[in-house]
């Protein structure tokens, strides 16, 4: 779960980014957020992901000098990928108009350099993770992001003519601060002999974390090295699927740079809800289901008390996800344009922005349901079923790239969201089929959580109609008094909908109150 400090850092960054957007063109946003960020993320991912997974899998009795030697290999590997991909970005991809997006070549070089700089901190990051220094990771990443946003805002105001130099220098500054946070922390920690943390570390001074060659042992642990190669073969495909949309935009030229920028901003805004609300719920209740149910065992062979509890919780979670998702979808349709106008000004609220965000609101509904169904499915499936399910998801992700290309040719940037919706719909269907089969021979029917009362459905329909008419009459060309009236209409409709939910979904309300009570008790005992 996120701490208060993390939420505060996110809020500050959110406000700074909203401020910065008002001084940029869509083309620059597209180049930075899609093209250059993809170069940076691809370089870093290919250079370090496999090393991280392999080195964090080792036992406590490992030779840390060999592990550090292996981790330092990420730096020359990062240089290789940075040079290779930088050449591709400069020579094979479409180069933007220098009048609209100045200093593109320098941007490619500096973003590639920033990836290499970040890899210099890899040994420190792995050691911190292995020692469970969670607070260090949170502070280092949050501080780096905030300082990057502050520097970007300052440069945008002070020297807007610098173009991509602004974001390239800010990115380089971000990676330098991130690495320095880890270096300074371990320098102070290893320099304090009284520290209890220092006594548990496998190193006693900073030089122990530098590459070292001795004749008494191999340079690296070959078992870790072979494991790294195995993970690398997996991670290469994973990166293509994870960043699929950006690769399609970058290499197939399905959207111009301006549309790429607007899509990326809307995508980040829409995914905030998933990261802040749905992801913590999914992670928490996956652990719950995994503890209550015995993996791979048929429902008739489970303890009946556990089965009943799991069914009740799953039903309530499905209903909660449906309610939250529907609320975002219904009200998002009428308030997308206003939200984008407040966040990024005319650049976002005109053109394709509102249509994209409305489409994303529908995708959020599917994300909410899928998060709950998959957290149960993955907790209850046997290992063989999970492997088959992952293979199916891999096939779906691959088909998503093809579908994205076809749909963007037909309906522009909205095609990416429609492809995601199709992909998510298939995943939900698979999970629902598994849950239905799982509970088929038991008296429990948790899937009824996807059914809402007629009164609540009527409240949603009425709210959608009223807020839709309100948007046409009051938003967004008639000044702030009309906008505030539009917001007031939405608040009244939202209050009516929530009130109806309190009256009709009493079991769900009891479940939410119970969970909030448990959460508060847990916070007090920490």
């Amino acid at each position: 779960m996120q701490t208060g400090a993390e939420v505060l850092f996110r809020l500050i960054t959110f406000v700074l980014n909203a401020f910065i957007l008002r001084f940029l063109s869509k083309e620059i946003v597209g180049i930075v957020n899609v093209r250059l960020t993809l170069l940076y993320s691809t370089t870093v991912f290919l250079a370090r992901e496999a090393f991280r997974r392999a080195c964090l899998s080792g036992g406590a009795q490992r030779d840390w000098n060999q592990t550090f030697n292996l981790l330092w290999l990420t730096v020359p590997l990062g240089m290789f990928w940075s040079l290779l991909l930088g050449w591709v970005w400069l020579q094979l991809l479409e180069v933007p108009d220098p009048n609209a997006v100045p200093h593109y070549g320098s941007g490619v070089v500096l973003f590639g350099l920033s990836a290499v700089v970040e890899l210099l901190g890899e040994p420190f990051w792995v050691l911190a993770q292995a020692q469970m220094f969670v607070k260090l990771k949170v502070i280092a990443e949050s501080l780096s992001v905030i300082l990057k946003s502050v520097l970007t805002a300052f440069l945008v105001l002070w020297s807007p003519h610098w173009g991509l130099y602004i974001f390239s220098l800010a990115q380089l500054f971000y990676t330098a601060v991130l690495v320095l946070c880890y270096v300074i922390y371990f320098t102070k920690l290893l320099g304090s002999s009284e520290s209890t943390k220092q006594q548990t570390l496998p190193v006693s001074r900073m030089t122990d974390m530098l590459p070292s060659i001795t004749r008494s042992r191999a340079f690296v642990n070959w078992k870790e090295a072979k494991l790294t190669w195995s993970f690398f073969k997996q991670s290469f495909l994973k990166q293509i699927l994870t960043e699929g949309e950006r690769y399609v935009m970058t290499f197939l030229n399905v959207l111009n740079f301006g549309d790429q920028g607007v899509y990326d901003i809307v995508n980040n805004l829409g995914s905030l809800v998933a990261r802040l609300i749905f992801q913590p719920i999914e992670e928490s209740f996956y652990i719950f289901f995994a503890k209550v149910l015995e993996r791979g065992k048929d429902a008739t062979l489970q303890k009946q008390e556990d089965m009943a509890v799991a069914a009740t919780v799953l039903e309530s979670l499905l209903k909660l996800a449906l309610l939250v998702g529907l609320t975002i979808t219904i009200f998002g349709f009428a308030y997308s344009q206003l939200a984008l106008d407040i966040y990024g000004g005319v650049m976002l609220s005109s053109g394709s922005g509102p249509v994209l965000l409305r489409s994303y609101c529908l995708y959020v509904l599917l994300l909410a349901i899928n998060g709950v169904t998959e957290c149960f499915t993955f907790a209850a499936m046997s290992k063989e079923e999970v492997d088959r399910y992952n293979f199916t998801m891999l096939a779906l992700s691959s088909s998503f790239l093809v579908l994205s290309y076809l749909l963007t040719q037909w309906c522009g940037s909205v095609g990416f969201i429609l492809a995601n919706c199709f992909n998510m719909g298939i995943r939900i269907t698979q999970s629902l089929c598994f849950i239905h089969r799982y509970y088929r021979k038991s008296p429990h029917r948790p899937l009824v959580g996807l059914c809402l009362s007629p009164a609540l459905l009527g409240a949603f329909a009425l709210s959608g109609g009223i807020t839709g008419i309100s948007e046409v009459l009051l938003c967004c060309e008639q000044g702030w008094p009309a906008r505030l009236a539009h917001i007031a209409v939405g608040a009244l409709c939202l209050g009516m909908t929530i009130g109806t939910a309190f009256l009709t979904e009493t079991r769900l309300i009891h479940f939410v109150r119970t969970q909030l009570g448990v959460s508060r008790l847990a916070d007090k005992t920490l």
Side-chain angles (χ1 to χ4, degrees):
M1 296 292 286
Q2 294 187 356
T3 64
E6 287 179 276
V7 174
L8 178 62
F9 285 141
R10 282 183 179 273
L11 181 61
I12 294 172
T13 306
F14 182 82
V15 173
L16 285 171
N17 288 339
F19 172 77
I20 293 167
L21 282 175
R22 298 180 179 274
F23 299 90
L24 303 176
S25 67
K26 293 187 290 187
E27 288 72 21
I28 285 185
V29 174
I31 289 293
V32 173
N33 286 8
V34 178
R35 176 74 67 86
L36 295 181
T37 300
L38 183 63
L39 168 65
Y40 161 79
S41 65
T42 303
T43 302
V44 169
F45 190 93
L46 293 178
R48 80 179 180 195
E49 178 68 12
F51 289 85
R52 280 187 171 185
R53 294 175 66 185
C55 293
L56 287 174
S57 302
Q61 303 303 317
R62 77 173 85 189
D63 185 332
W64 272 96
N65 287 322
Q66 290 181 323
T67 299
F68 290 137
N69 288 343
L70 184 63
L71 287 169
W72 280 110
L73 294 178
T74 60
V75 177
L77 188 59
M79 291 179 181
F80 166 77
W81 284 116
S82 179
L83 290 172
L84 177 62
L85 295 174
W87 178 81
V88 171
W89 258 240
L90 289 173
Q91 300 299 324
L92 301 185
L93 299 181
E94 177 189 359
V95 176
D97 181 2
N99 294 320
V101 185
H103 314 302
Y104 171 72
S106 300
V108 170
V109 172
L110 290 174
F111 265 79
L113 178 60
S114 70
V116 177
V117 170
E118 183 166 342
L119 294 172
L120 293 172
E122 205 56 23
F124 307 99
W125 186 92
V126 169
L127 181 58
Q129 290 296 106
Q131 297 296 314
M132 301 296 290
F133 294 167
V134 179
K135 188 178 293 187
L136 169 62
K137 179 176 181 290
V138 172
I139 292 175
E141 293 181 356
S142 301
L143 182 64
S144 303
V145 170
I146 288 179
L147 291 178
K148 172 188 173 182
S149 299
V150 170
L151 178 62
T152 304
F154 174 75
L155 292 177
V156 163
L157 289 176
W158 182 52
S159 299
H161 58 280
W162 280 16
L164 291 183
Y165 275 136
I166 295 172
F167 302 94
S168 304
L169 291 173
Q171 180 68 21
L172 192 58
F173 179 70
Y174 159 78
T175 55
V177 171
L178 185 63
V179 173
L180 279 174
C181 285
Y182 283 95
V183 172
I184 292 171
Y185 179 84
F186 279 108
T187 301
K188 293 185 67 175
L189 184 62
L190 293 172
S192 173
S193 58
E194 295 82 12
S195 173
T196 55
K197 286 184 178 180
Q198 190 271 347
Q199 296 169 10
T200 63
L201 290 176
V203 294
S204 58
R205 55 185 183 272
M206 289 294 289
T207 54
D208 291 341
M209 285 187 271
L210 296 177
S212 60
I213 301 175
T214 61
R215 294 182 178 180
S216 60
R217 63 173 183 271
F219 182 70
V220 298
N221 182 327
W222 288 107
K223 183 179 179 181
E224 283 184 342
K226 291 177 181 177
L227 187 59
T228 300
W229 174 243
S230 298
F231 281 133
F232 176 78
K233 290 183 287 187
Q234 298 174 19
S235 64
F236 194 85
L237 180 60
K238 178 184 174 183
Q239 173 65 7
I240 295 175
L241 298 177
T242 302
E243 300 278 13
E245 296 168 359
R246 286 193 171 116
Y247 284 117
V248 171
M249 283 189 271
T250 298
F251 287 94
L252 300 180
N253 295 323
V254 292
L255 301 176
N256 60 46
F257 294 123
D259 287 342
Q260 288 180 26
V262 173
Y263 173 81
D264 187 76
I265 295 170
V266 171
N267 185 54
N268 288 334
L269 277 175
S271 63
L272 269 177
V273 178
R275 292 197 301 268
L276 296 178
I277 299 177
F278 301 137
Q279 187 176 353
I281 292 175
E282 181 180 346
E283 291 173 352
S284 299
F285 283 96
Y286 170 78
I287 297 172
F288 168 80
F289 288 129
K291 287 182 177 179
V292 170
L293 301 174
E294 292 188 50
R295 180 181 295 279
K297 185 177 286 189
D298 190 79
T300 55
L301 303 177
Q302 303 273 1
K303 293 180 181 178
Q304 291 309 301
E305 290 182 6
D306 292 342
M307 283 289 295
V309 170
T312 302
V313 170
L314 178 58
E315 179 184 340
S316 298
L317 283 178
L318 286 172
K319 187 151 290 188
L320 179 63
L322 184 60
L323 277 176
V324 174
L326 271 177
T327 302
I328 292 170
T329 302
I330 297 297
F331 289 90
F333 267 74
Y335 290 88
S336 289
Q337 185 176 358
L338 180 59
L340 290 175
D341 192 65
I342 293 173
Y343 181 69
V346 179
M347 181 186 77
L348 292 182
S349 61
S350 60
S352 62
V355 177
L356 278 171
L357 190 54
R358 290 185 184 110
S359 304
Y360 207 97
C361 289
L362 175 61
Y363 180 52
V364 167
L365 170 61
L366 297 177
L367 275 176
I369 297 172
N370 181 70
V372 173
T373 55
E374 282 196 348
C375 87
F376 177 87
T377 299
F378 283 134
M381 276 181 170
S382 65
K383 182 182 181 300
E384 293 73 20
E385 288 174 318
V386 171
D387 290 339
R388 287 198 299 269
Y389 193 90
N390 286 335
F391 182 79
T392 304
M393 286 177 61
L394 180 64
L396 282 173
S397 299
S398 303
S399 64
F400 162 76
L401 299 179
V402 177
L403 190 60
S404 296
Y405 175 74
L406 296 176
L407 288 176
T408 49
Q409 294 289 322
W410 174 50
C411 55
S413 50
V414 177
F416 283 116
I417 300 176
L418 295 179
N420 273 313
C421 288
F422 176 81
N423 199 13
M424 201 59 61
I426 297 295
R427 289 169 61 176
I428 291 172
T429 302
Q430 285 186 299
S431 296
L432 291 179
C433 289
F434 174 83
I435 295 170
H436 174 72
R437 291 195 305 269
Y438 189 82
Y439 279 102
R440 183 174 49 194
K441 296 179 181 179
S442 77
H444 309 291
R445 296 293 178 267
L447 293 183
V448 298
L450 293 175
C451 300
L452 298 179
S453 66
L456 187 53
L457 289 174
F460 274 120
L462 184 61
S463 295
I466 293 174
T467 54
I469 294 171
S470 173
E471 182 184 29
V472 173
L473 298 177
L474 301 173
C475 187
C476 291
E477 311 293 336
Q478 302 176 40
W480 272 103
R483 293 181 178 188
L484 292 174
H486 180 46
I487 293 172
V489 170
L492 288 173
C493 290
L494 181 61
M496 175 193 69
T497 305
I498 293 175
T500 306
F502 265 87
L503 294 174
T504 59
E505 303 294 344
T506 53
R507 290 182 62 185
L508 175 62
I509 301 303
H510 174 72
F511 171 78
V512 172
R513 283 175 174 168
T514 303
Q515 292 303 313
L516 288 176
V518 171
S519 177
R520 287 171 185 162
L521 181 62
D523 290 339
K524 289 179 181 178
T525 57
L526 289 176

